[in-house]
C-alpha cells in the first residue's frame, strides 16, 4: 500500500523553531510537497522537493532524503499566525498517471 | 485573479436528493481533482482528471460521479447522497509538474 506518516500534533513556542517530519511509503516517487491549512480555510501550497536536500523559502524550509523516504518542514521564528495544520503530500506514478497522496496532517499549536 | 471556484460553499440536503457541486478554474490547468476532508483522516482523493474527457477514481470514489467536458470545469455529482457523505469537499487543480495544487475554498456538505 501507499502511506504517509506525520505526527498528529506538535506544540512550540512563539519565536522558536519547529520541525514537522514526514515519512512515506509509496510505489514510485516524484516529489514531496507541503501544504498549510488554517482553520476554516483551504490548503495552500508551501514547497516541493524533488531532489535530496534543503529548500529554503523565507522562514520555511523543506528537506528531502529520497534514500530514507523521509522529509521535513522546518518553520523558524514562529509566529502565532503559523498556527495551522500542515500536510505532506507525495507525487507518485500511478498506472498511466501521476497521483498526489496526502498525509493526515500535523496540527501545529503555538504558545505565546 | 487565478483561482478555483466551488459552489455551493455550504449545503444541507436530505438522503437521496441528487446534488452537484461545481468547480471551475481559470488557470488553464489540465489536472483537476476532488478531495474530501474528514477529522483525523486528512485529504482523501475522490476522483481526478488528467485532461478533458479523462477521469479516474481516487481512493474513495464510491457514491460519487464526475465529468470533465471542458478543461475549466470539473463538477462532482452525488446521485443519491447518504449521511456518510457529510464532509468538507475541496476541488483542486494543477499544472501537474511539481505537485502544486491550487485549492478551492471548500464546500461543506451535510446530508441528513
Amino acid at each position: 500500500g501507499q502511506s504517509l506518516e506525520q505526527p498528529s500534533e506538535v506544540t512550540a513556542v512563539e519565536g522558536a523553531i519547529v520541525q514537522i517530519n514526514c515519512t512515506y511509503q509509496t510505489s514510485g516517487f516524484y516529489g514531496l510537497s507541503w501544504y498549510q491549512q488554517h482553520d476554516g480555510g483551504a490548503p495552500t501550497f508551501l514547497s516541493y522537493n524533488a531532489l535530496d536536500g534543503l529548500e529554503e523559502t523565507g522562514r520555511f524550509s523543506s528537506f528531502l532524503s529520497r534514500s530514507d523516504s523521509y522529509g521535513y518542514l522546518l518553520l523558524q521564528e514562529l509566529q502565532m499566525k503559523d498556527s495551522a495544520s500542515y500536510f505532506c503530500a507525495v507525487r507518485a506514478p500511478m498506472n498511466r498517471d501521476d497521483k498526489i497522496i496526502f498525509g493526515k496532517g500535523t496540527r501545529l499549536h503555538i504558545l505565546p | 485573479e487565478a483561482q478555483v471556484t466551488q459552489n455551493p460553499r455550504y449545503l444541507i440536503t436530505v438522503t437521496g436528493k441528487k446534488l452537484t457541486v461545481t468547480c471551475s478554474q481559470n488557470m488553464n490547468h489540465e489536472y483537476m481533482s476532488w478531495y474530501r476532508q474528514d477529522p483525523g483522516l486528512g485529504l482523501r482523493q475522490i476522483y481526478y482528471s488528467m485532461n478533458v474527457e479523462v477521469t479516474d477514481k481516487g481512493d474513495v470514489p464510491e457514491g460519487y460521479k464526475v465529468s470533465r467536458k471542458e478543461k475549466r470545469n470539473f463538477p462532482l455529482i452525488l446521485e443519491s447522497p447518504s449521511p456518510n457523505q457529510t464532509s468538507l469537499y475541496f476541488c483542486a487543480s494543477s499544472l501537474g509538474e511539481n505537485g502544486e495544487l491550487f485549492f478551492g475554498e471548500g464546500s461543506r456538505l451535510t446530508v441528513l
Side-chain angles (χ1 to χ4, degrees), chain B residues 5-25:
Chain B
T5 303
Q6 298 178 223
N7 280 294
R9 294 286 315 281
Y10 302 91
L11 179 64
I12 301 175
T13 189
V14 296
T15 299
K17 187 176 181 182
K18 180 180 178 180
L19 68 92
T20 299
V21 186
T22 64
C23 174
S24 180
Q25 51 94 4

Side-chain angles (χ1 to χ4, degrees), chain B residues 6-8 19-23 34 74-78 89 107 109:
Chain B
Q6 298 178 223
N7 280 294
L19 68 92
T20 299
V21 186
T22 64
C23 174
W34 276 103
F74 190 45
L76 179 70
I77 304 155
L78 285 74
Y89 292 87
S107 297
L109 171 65

Side-chain angles (χ1 to χ4, degrees), chain A residues 33 35 37 40-45 48 87 91 94 96-100 102-104, chain B residues 35 37 40-43 45 48 50 54 56 59 90 96-101 103-104:
Chain A
S33 303
Y35 289 80
Q37 185 181 29
T44 56
F45 176 82
Y48 178 73
F87 295 87
R91 181 169 158 256
M94 173 67 69
R96 65 179 186 277
D97 301 326
D98 290 355
K99 185 175 178 67
I100 298 174
F102 281 86
K104 293 183 179 179
Chain B
Y35 296 87
Q37 185 173 34
L41 297 178
L43 289 155
Q45 191 178 49
Y48 67 98
M50 297 296 291
V54 179
D56 255 316
D59 298 314
F90 286 102
E97 293 180 351
N98 67 352
E100 179 175 359
L101 286 167
F103 283 84

Side-chain angles (χ1 to χ4, degrees), chain A residues 5-10 18-22 33-38 43-47 59-61 73-76 78-89 102-110, chain B residues 37 42-43:
Chain A
E5 296 292 331
Q6 53 180 130
S8 59
E9 290 187 85
V10 171
V18 71
Q19 177 174 312
I20 300 174
N21 298 320
C22 175
S33 303
W34 288 92
Y35 289 80
Q36 179 191 60
Q37 185 181 29
H38 287 100
T44 56
F45 176 82
L46 291 176
S47 67
R59 294 187 297 114
F60 292 5
S61 303
L73 179 69
L74 191 73
L75 296 81
Q76 302 182 74
L78 283 171
Q79 301 175 10
M80 297 304 292
K81 68 178 182 179
D82 298 329
S83 294
S85 292
Y86 293 84
F87 295 87
C88 59
F102 281 86
K104 293 183 179 179
T106 298
R107 178 83 183 187
L108 174 60
H109 302 279
I110 299 178
Chain B
Q37 185 173 34
L43 289 155

Side-chain angles (χ1 to χ4, degrees), chain B residues 2-97:
Chain B
Q3 59 185 5
V4 178
T5 303
Q6 298 178 223
N7 280 294
R9 294 286 315 281
Y10 302 91
L11 179 64
I12 301 175
T13 189
V14 296
T15 299
K17 187 176 181 182
K18 180 180 178 180
L19 68 92
T20 299
V21 186
T22 64
C23 174
S24 180
Q25 51 94 4
N26 62 1
M27 295 169 279
N28 202 37
H29 286 168
E30 292 186 344
Y31 180 92
M32 296 186 75
S33 182
W34 276 103
Y35 296 87
R36 61 177 289 173
Q37 185 173 34
D38 303 289
L41 297 178
L43 289 155
R44 295 183 292 168
Q45 191 178 49
I46 303 170
Y47 268 94
Y48 67 98
S49 169
M50 297 296 291
N51 213 327
V52 176
E53 302 292 358
V54 179
T55 63
D56 255 316
K57 296 178 181 179
D59 298 314
V60 288
E62 294 78 19
Y64 305 94
K65 286 174 58 176
V66 293
S67 69
R68 188 91 183 272
K69 294 181 169 48
E70 306 164 282
K71 198 171 191 178
R72 63 183 292 124
N73 296 324
F74 190 45
L76 179 70
I77 304 155
L78 285 74
E79 293 271 4
S80 182
S82 62
N84 64 12
Q85 292 179 297
T86 292
S87 187
L88 178 59
Y89 292 87
F90 286 102
C91 178
S93 72
S94 172
L95 278 174
E97 293 180 351

